[in-house]
């Protein structure tokens, strides 16, 4: 209860938004660990540890007003009846015959540019995608020992969350813009709207004819088409250690000595293909 967040005021104190106790939330979850010794002999040992946790949150009361732009942002936003940080999307319909995105607005109508990102009452047209925080997390660790050698292999995983892809689409670009791979599949000629959902690079004539064309591309950035699953399985760490026998060390008055070779983040075994190689743990934070 009394969770902190922004509260809209009348501005009498000099600020339109202030931090206040604006929300209540219920949460529950569980955590489990399973450990096993698979093989155990005098010279060889193999043990496994599996960890798993589940967390679910639900906003039960909210005093602040939530707008469309708040709900579709990559950072998510609270809404009564949904997760602490929920991600919503503007419904994407198709590309029109000029390659411009067509979406559903707050009135339930198909449009390209007629959408109000500041709307805070008519929100049911948005599609709920899911929480931006993983609901399932855990790891799998295998320790193999043979004589004086130790091999440790550690995997991590997370599932149950959604990610907003980078907002890279715009009505205009400069020579300094970095284009992602998606642009290779963009609309180019009439008829392409039947084979791709990637909008065109707007011509100067299109921009001149529609002063609000940027709304269409911004809506596309925050649409159902620009969402990916945040689940992943990663080979987090592999290490190989050699423990020097104690007998020769004792003569040198050394209690223990070992040599270790360690590698981290070697392999992303699974991630949504829509991420195009971006690391799901670091998307929207500058990391790729």
């Amino acid at each position: 209860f009394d969770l902190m967040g922004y509260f809209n005021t009348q501005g009498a104190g000099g600020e339109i938004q202030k931090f206040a106790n604006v929300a209540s939330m219920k949460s529950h979850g569980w955590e489990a660990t399973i450990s096993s010794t698979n093989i155990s002999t005098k010279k060889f040992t193999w043990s496994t540890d599996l960890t798993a946790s589940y967390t679910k949150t639900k906003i039960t009361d909210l005093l602040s007003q939530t707008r469309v732009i708040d709900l579709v942002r990559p950072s998510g936003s609270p809404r009564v009846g949904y997760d602490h940080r929920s991600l919503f999307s503007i419904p994407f319909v198709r590309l029109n015959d000029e390659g411009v995105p067509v979406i559903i607005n707050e009135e339930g109508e198909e449009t390209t540019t007629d959408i109000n990102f500041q709307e805070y009452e008519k929100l049911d047209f948005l599609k709920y995608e899911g929480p931006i925080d993983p609901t399932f997390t855990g790891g799998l660790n295998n320790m193999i020992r043979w004589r004086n050698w130790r091999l440790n292999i550690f995997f991590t995983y997370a599932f149950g969350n959604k990610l907003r892809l980078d907002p890279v689409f715009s009505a205009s670009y400069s020579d300094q813009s970095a284009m992602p791979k998606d642009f290779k599949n963009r609309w180019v000629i009439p008829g392409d709207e039947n084979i791709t959902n990637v909008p065109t690079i707007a011509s100067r004539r299109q921009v001149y004819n529609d002063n609000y064309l940027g709304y269409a591309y911004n809506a596309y950035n925050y649409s159902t088409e620009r969402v990916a699953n945040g689940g992943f399985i990663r080979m987090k760490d592999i290490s190989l250690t050699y423990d020097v026998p104690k007998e020769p060390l004792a003569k040198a008055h050394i209690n223990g000595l070992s040599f270790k070779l360690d590698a981290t983040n070697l392999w992303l075994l699974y991630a949504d293909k829509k991420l195009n190689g971006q690391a799901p743990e670091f998307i929207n934070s500058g990391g790729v």
Side-chain angles (χ1 to χ4, degrees):
F1 63 93
D2 284 347
L3 298 178
M4 296 293 293
Y6 279 111
F7 182 78
N8 293 325
T9 73
Q10 295 180 343
E15 293 178 291
I16 295 178
Q17 286 188 326
K18 292 183 178 181
F19 270 114
N21 303 109
V22 297
S24 300
M25 179 181 74
K26 287 185 178 181
S27 63
H28 66 275
W30 50 262
E31 190 172 290
T33 301
I34 299 175
S35 299
S36 67
T37 301
N38 307 313
I39 300 175
S40 180
T41 66
K42 186 176 181 180
K43 296 181 180 180
F44 183 84
T45 302
W46 172 28
S47 61
T48 301
D49 295 291
L50 174 65
T51 60
S53 66
Y54 170 79
T55 303
K56 180 66 176 178
T57 62
K58 181 180 179 180
I59 297 295
T60 58
D61 185 43
L62 186 64
L63 299 179
S64 61
Q65 292 179 340
T66 305
R67 304 164 300 171
V68 169
I69 191 61
D70 299 319
L71 294 171
V72 300
R73 281 174 176 164
S75 56
S77 182
R79 189 181 179 189
V80 173
Y82 296 91
D83 301 275
H84 170 226
R85 294 200 295 170
S86 296
L87 183 64
F88 290 80
S89 290
I90 298 167
F92 171 80
V93 181
R94 64 183 184 279
L95 299 181
N96 66 13
D97 57 3
E98 293 185 358
V100 177
V102 177
I103 52 93
I104 300 291
N105 67 6
E106 67 276 7
E107 301 294 339
E109 302 169 342
E110 292 188 6
T111 181
T112 55
T113 61
D114 184 18
I115 183 170
N116 181 15
F117 289 99
Q118 304 301 321
E119 176 64 41
Y120 61 86
E121 291 183 344
K122 300 176 182 178
L123 301 175
D124 291 337
F125 77 101
L126 296 173
K127 179 189 175 184
Y128 171 65
E129 301 286 0
I132 68 167
D133 301 305
T135 53
F136 286 96
T137 58
L140 175 66
N141 189 70
N142 281 281
M143 172 67 75
I144 300 173
R145 179 190 294 271
W146 178 70
R147 294 181 181 272
N148 291 64
W149 293 90
R150 285 180 290 143
L151 176 64
N152 190 77
I153 305 175
F154 180 47
F155 297 88
T156 58
Y157 64 88
F159 292 99
N161 63 314
K162 297 288 186 176
L163 300 173
R164 172 72 63 205
L165 299 179
D166 292 336
V168 294
F169 291 89
S170 174
S172 61
Y173 307 94
S174 71
D175 289 338
Q176 296 177 340
S177 300
M179 305 297 191
K181 293 179 181 178
D182 307 69
F183 279 69
K184 296 172 68 176
N185 299 320
R186 71 185 183 276
W187 187 99
V188 178
I189 59 175
D192 282 353
E193 63 271 14
N194 298 319
I195 59 175
T196 183
N197 286 332
V198 182
T200 186
I201 297 178
S203 66
R204 178 171 294 183
R205 181 181 296 275
Q206 286 176 297
V207 176
Y208 178 80
N209 289 338
D210 190 347
N211 293 329
Y212 298 98
L213 190 61
Y215 281 51
Y217 284 86
N218 206 27
Y220 181 80
N221 284 326
Y222 298 115
S223 73
T224 51
E225 197 66 22
R226 298 295 292 168
V227 174
N229 288 318
F232 69 89
I233 303 175
R234 178 185 294 279
M235 182 179 286
K236 186 68 175 178
D237 189 86
I238 297 179
S239 64
L240 180 63
T241 305
Y242 177 73
D243 298 315
V244 178
K246 294 184 178 181
E247 291 77 10
L249 294 178
K251 298 179 181 179
H253 303 288
I254 299 176
N255 292 327
L257 179 64
S258 62
F259 298 92
K260 183 178 182 180
L261 180 65
D262 191 280
T264 303
N265 291 334
L266 281 179
W267 186 15
L268 187 62
L269 282 78
Y270 165 78
D272 194 335
K273 292 182 179 179
K274 291 183 71 174
L275 293 171
N276 276 327
Q278 293 185 87
E281 299 147 286
F282 306 108
I283 190 170
N284 296 316
S285 61
V288 293

